[in-house]
Amino acid sequence: MALSLVHSTLFSKTSQLLLHTKIGFSHFSSSIPFSTSALPSNPKTWRRPVISVLELGGVKIARDDVVRDDPTNNVPDTIFSKLGLQLHRRDQHPLGILKNTIYDYFDTNYSNKFDKFDELCPIVSVKQNFDDVLVPADHVSRSYNDTYYVDSQTVLRCHTSAHQAELLRKGHTHFLVTGDVYRRDSIDSTHYPVFHQMEGFRVFSPDEWEASGMDGTSFAAEDLKKCLEGLATHLFGAVEMRWVDTYFPFTNPSFELEIYFKEKWLEVLGCGVTEQEILKRNGKLNNVAWAFGLGLERLAMVLFDIPDIRLFWSDDERFTSQFSKGQLGTKFKPFSRYPPCYKDMSFWISESFTENNLCEVVRGIAGDLVEEVSLIDNFTNKKGMTSHCYRISYRSMERSLTDEEINDLQMSVREQHAANSSLRRLYYSMRSKLLLQESTPLTLDAYGYSAAIITCRCKITKLSDDGPSSSDSCIFV
Ligand code: PHE
């Protein structure tokens, strides 16, 4: 798959479109927390042991703070294990090298005016991640299908924009925020559920634009474009560039910058003039500002010729030894690749099926051994039932895989996918039965699964003239 927009700019209209049309499914189809972490761990799955406490920017975080056997939690161990790694803070790592090169650009051109943050905790509130940057209540990015929820009010940030408001309130007017961001997503060579972004933010005061004779918004937009064109030249040399209008909830107008690189237009970043409402709420009523967000992996893959996003996470010396501090653009020399092993799996899908949920199951079981999950057949019979066939490609970066271990993995994937599907079916059938009994909407609030017993805890929301009110949870076995 070509580098898609999804990884760097989830919030733009174009990427929403992409998400929706990727396999013809609406990402609103399942906003229910079908957490894989709530499922029993299969003794056959060989997950690496998970460190149980880590320290993030001076704060101690225990596994139980992030991975919980709770219906509102959909964070698997594989994600928790990435939390403290902070690849962007390693000076010899391509992501650290790229971050430092961008820092150099801002330090040189803005005489060290930009404050830099690269250790802000990735566990943030729903308010920080969405509300503070005006993401609408029904936006696709808020769904359990797209975002990792620690609980109903806490998420793993899905973009570095989550820190805009707090930094503004603390009085910062020029800042760069770099950090790991988390998104439930499909699996291929350019998509990984954890990646890194850098956010840039600059506030102007009235005297800055008044002198120019321009209105504040045009002034900020022009300054933003100049700044980012300079950055692109700093990173890529003299390349052709173009600006594309787009939409983000937090900026207006909004743009994407594309550069022409190796005979292709490549989207480099999303940006725009900050919505006045964000400034107003955070003590900057009379100002204007610009913001940008760029995905470090997508740039580093191009600049260092890195063919697979999983390599960024590799401890293999044949990868790590190829890069040195301060050396942007060293071309990666691929080492011999071990053969892939393909396994197909077909199943009838229900209305609640999403590719992200399947990918989460596969990743939970096979970890970084899974290279790609791709839909290879999509068939609808006369009764309107649809079956999908997915090809899972397994490949290790470090060793040859044996048939036996791949068969075991594939078996576990099938079992867990089937268990998840029965849960969803059960939930939907209960829901429709209850809806027949009383004309009240029902939301699945919880589910648990143990051995042969499936328990669903449901919350019935009564709609009255005064609005919705919740009844106690009911347990169904
Ligand atoms: N936060 C946006 C994303 O992740 C990128 C962005 C940042 C766009 C700042 C505009 C301004 O998709």
Side-chain angles (χ1 to χ4, degrees):
M1 193 198 279
L3 283 175
S4 88
L5 295 173
V6 182
H7 245 79
S8 61
T9 52
L10 175 69
F11 295 92
S12 71
K13 270 232 171 79
T14 32
S15 51
Q16 275 183 57
L17 206 78
L18 230 164
L19 282 162
H20 282 284
T21 53
K22 201 157 51 172
I23 51 166
F25 270 95
S26 154
H27 276 241
F28 286 107
S29 61
S30 166
S31 54
I32 307 154
F34 286 116
S35 136
T36 48
S37 57
L39 290 169
S41 57
N42 185 327
K44 272 192 196 155
T45 60
W46 34 283
R47 288 186 185 154
R48 291 195 191 136
V50 179
I51 305 166
S52 58
V53 182
L54 52 89
E55 211 167 307
L56 279 179
V59 183
K60 281 212 162 55
I61 295 172
R63 175 184 176 274
D64 296 355
D65 294 331
V66 183
V67 183
R68 294 194 205 131
D69 195 2
D70 176 286
T72 58
N73 182 294
N74 62 353
V75 184
D77 277 332
T78 44
I79 291 296
F80 173 72
S81 67
K82 299 287 188 291
L83 268 174
L85 297 183
Q86 300 190 318
L87 303 181
H88 59 285
R89 301 186 72 231
R90 302 181 190 178
D91 289 340
Q92 317 248 10
H93 190 281
L95 299 178
I97 299 169
L98 175 57
K99 180 196 79 175
N100 289 332
T101 313
I102 303 176
Y103 279 1
D104 288 344
Y105 171 79
F106 279 93
D107 285 346
T108 313
N109 290 284
Y110 298 90
S111 358
N112 300 316
K113 256 196 132 176
F114 277 78
D115 301 323
K116 306 181 196 80
F117 301 88
D118 67 356
E119 234 192 328
L120 298 177
C121 183
I123 305 168
V124 299
S125 64
V126 166
K127 178 175 176 297
Q128 286 173 292
N129 199 67
F130 299 119
D131 304 333
D132 282 354
V133 282
L134 314 178
V135 175
D138 60 353
H139 194 276
V140 62
S141 62
R142 290 188 185 242
S143 75
Y144 277 86
N145 189 53
D146 286 49
T147 291
Y148 289 105
Y149 279 79
V150 172
D151 57 44
S152 65
Q153 296 311 315
T154 317
V155 296
L156 301 183
R157 69 181 161 213
C158 67
H159 58 166
T160 42
S161 305
H163 300 287
Q164 284 185 6
E166 70 190 84
L167 291 174
L168 276 175
R169 277 199 300 277
K170 284 187 179 154
H172 298 281
T173 55
H174 296 66
F175 54 85
L176 300 171
V177 179
T178 315
D180 34 340
V181 297
Y182 297 78
R183 293 182 192 174
R184 295 181 94 232
D185 213 335
S186 51
I187 300 180
D188 64 36
S189 64
T190 62
H191 290 85
Y192 201 80
V194 191
F195 61 103
H196 298 77
Q197 281 191 332
M198 188 189 288
E199 188 91 1
F201 204 98
R202 178 176 183 183
V203 181
F204 297 93
S205 50
D207 49 306
E208 288 176 89
W209 72 82
E210 276 163 11
S212 74
M214 274 191 239
D215 67 274
T217 304
S218 317
F219 180 83
E222 198 178 292
D223 186 85
L224 170 68
K225 287 184 174 177
K226 237 192 292 153
C227 166
L228 294 174
E229 285 169 11
L231 175 62
T233 310
H234 182 69
L235 298 177
F236 291 93
V239 280
E240 218 184 313
M241 302 176 206
R242 69 181 183 194
W243 288 100
V244 180
D245 289 334
T246 187
Y247 163 85
F248 296 105
F250 23 89
T251 49
N252 187 16
S254 305
F255 316 102
E256 276 161 2
L257 175 61
E258 296 186 346
I259 61 165
Y260 198 66
F261 197 80
K262 294 199 177 153
E263 286 159 36
K264 262 194 256 157
W265 283 104
L266 173 79
E267 186 217 309
V268 183
L269 51 82
C271 64
V273 178
T274 301
E275 280 286 358
Q276 208 54 44
E277 180 65 20
I278 298 179
L279 296 176
K280 194 172 96 191
R281 285 188 198 174
N282 297 290
K284 296 275 180 292
L285 181 61
N286 298 315
N287 303 76
V288 294
W290 57 238
F292 70 82
L294 53 83
L296 291 179
E297 272 84 349
R298 102 177 341 222
L299 295 184
M301 286 178 86
V302 175
L303 289 164
F304 294 90
D305 259 353
I306 296 172
D308 189 315
I309 198 165
R310 290 178 304 167
L311 280 163
F312 289 107
W313 300 93
S314 173
D315 291 328
D316 191 324
E317 262 218 8
R318 290 170 303 169
F319 178 77
T320 54
S321 66
Q322 292 197 29
F323 308 99
S324 344
K325 185 175 173 183
Q327 303 279 305
L328 183 80
T330 316
K331 297 300 173 216
F332 170 65
K333 290 183 211 65
F335 36 85
S336 59
R337 304 230 291 159
Y338 293 95
C341 175
Y342 302 108
K343 294 280 171 194
D344 293 349
M345 94 188 233
S346 302
F347 46 88
W348 296 107
I349 60 156
S350 65
E351 59 174 303
S352 66
F353 172 81
T354 72
E355 191 175 278
N356 281 1
N357 282 336
L358 174 67
C359 287
E360 205 58 23
V361 168
V362 181
R363 243 196 265 271
I365 288 167
D368 283 355
L369 295 181
V370 51
E371 181 174 66
E372 183 159 2
V373 175
S374 53
L375 180 65
I376 55 170
D377 191 37
N378 183 350
F379 160 79
T380 303
N381 70 8
K382 282 186 195 137
K383 290 184 192 156
M385 289 163 70
T386 300
S387 97
H388 279 176
C389 180
Y390 278 92
R391 173 156 299 167
I392 304 177
S393 93
Y394 297 94
R395 190 205 302 256
S396 165
M397 304 263 179
E398 282 130 30
R399 61 193 174 84
S400 281
L401 300 172
T402 64
D403 270 353
E404 206 193 348
E405 67 183 321
I406 296 298
N407 287 338
D408 274 2
L409 288 176
Q410 183 68 6
M411 184 63 79
S412 303
V413 168
R414 279 180 208 281
E415 282 170 6
Q416 205 160 100
H417 170 71
N420 278 359
S421 305
S422 345
L423 276 172
R424 283 192 200 105
R425 260 201 309 277
L426 182 78
Y427 163 64
Y428 276 98
S429 80
M430 280 187 337
R431 184 187 154 116
S432 59
K433 273 183 205 141
L434 283 165
L435 277 176
L436 284 178
Q437 286 164 17
E438 334 175 14
S439 54
T440 48
L442 166 76
T443 50
L444 180 70
D445 203 34
Y447 78 90
Y449 177 94
S450 72
I453 304 169
I454 294 171
T455 311
C456 282
R457 193 156 9 111
C458 300
K459 192 168 80 192
I460 300 170
T461 308
K462 290 224 159 68
L463 279 183
S464 69
D465 291 345
D466 306 333
S469 69
S470 291
S471 76
D472 288 344
S473 295
C474 331
I475 310 274
F476 296 90
V477 181

